Amino acid sequence: MKRLTIVTLIFALILPIVSAGTFDEIFNEYKNLENADYVKIPKFLMKLAGNKADLPDDLPIKGKVSGMKILNITDPGNDIGKRINDSAKKLAAKNNMQEMLRHTSDGEECRIWFNMSKEKVKEIYLLYTEPDEVSLLEFTGNFRLTD
């Protein structure tokens, strides 16, 4: 009985962490649509590009981006754009992400969320929606809030 209680307690503590959704759910759900463009740039290519890029030395995020994902859907229709927006808001709240920016103007909306671990920002998500296009970008790395 004692062993069963310990195993149950371990699962109760680990399960919420393992099942916690990220924006990967959105990328995976919509990347195969006919009108979707999806690009994932892994850590190796980011390092390679960073070594070859002619970036100013005073650029705060230089060398700090370790990965990037881009999902762009053209002519998504109101239903898909709204579903992506709603999913992003729910996932951001579920994962205790902080909203850095929200701007709405003439039917267009831009939101930026970030996820921190200790004193570093580990993930930045940018969602840009307009009537005929939806874009979701993910930047991973080790950033400071001052960057």
Side-chain angles (χ1 to χ4, degrees), residues 97-109:
M97 299 184 86
Q98 297 177 36
E99 190 171 59
M100 184 184 299
L101 173 95
R102 181 188 318 173
H103 178 75
T104 305
S105 175
D106 299 327
E108 299 175 3
E109 183 176 28

Side-chain angles (χ1 to χ4, degrees), residues 40-60:
K40 178 180 179 181
I41 305 171
K43 191 175 199 170
F44 169 75
L45 288 178
M46 290 300 292
K47 282 188 178 184
L48 187 64
N51 291 339
K52 300 294 181 188
D54 187 23
L55 298 173
D57 290 330
D58 61 344
L59 187 66

Side-chain angles (χ1 to χ4, degrees), residues 26-33 36 71 73 80 83-84:
I26 298 172
F27 286 108
N28 293 333
E29 184 175 347
Y30 296 100
K31 70 182 179 184
N32 295 318
L33 290 178
L71 174 67
I73 303 171
I80 291 176
R83 285 193 334 221
I84 290 173

Side-chain angles (χ1 to χ4, degrees), residues 12-135:
L13 293 173
I14 293 175
L15 192 59
I17 295 169
V18 172
S19 66
T22 63
F23 280 48
D24 285 345
E25 292 178 20
I26 298 172
F27 286 108
N28 293 333
E29 184 175 347
Y30 296 100
K31 70 182 179 184
N32 295 318
L33 290 178
E34 186 176 314
N35 53 344
D37 294 313
Y38 173 72
V39 177
K40 178 180 179 181
I41 305 171
K43 191 175 199 170
F44 169 75
L45 288 178
M46 290 300 292
K47 282 188 178 184
L48 187 64
N51 291 339
K52 300 294 181 188
D54 187 23
L55 298 173
D57 290 330
D58 61 344
L59 187 66
I61 63 167
K62 183 178 181 180
K64 295 183 180 182
V65 179
S66 63
M68 197 160 125
K69 291 182 189 176
I70 303 167
L71 174 67
N72 188 65
I73 303 171
T74 55
D75 197 26
N78 289 338
D79 186 43
I80 291 176
K82 184 178 180 342
R83 285 193 334 221
I84 290 173
N85 205 353
D86 291 346
S87 295
K89 289 177 195 175
K90 287 177 187 172
L91 289 170
K94 180 179 177 181
N95 290 297
N96 297 319
M97 299 184 86
Q98 297 177 36
E99 190 171 59
M100 184 184 299
L101 173 95
R102 181 188 318 173
H103 178 75
T104 305
S105 175
D106 299 327
E108 299 175 3
E109 183 176 28
C110 181
R111 288 175 169 242
I112 300 175
W113 293 277
F114 65 93
N115 201 0
M116 291 193 70
S117 176
K118 298 182 182 173
E119 295 297 315
K120 299 275 185 170
V121 175
K122 297 292 187 177
E123 301 168 322
I124 299 173
Y125 293 94
L126 185 145
L127 177 64
Y128 183 75
T129 56
E130 55 184 291
D132 59 347
E133 192 169 1
V134 175
S135 299

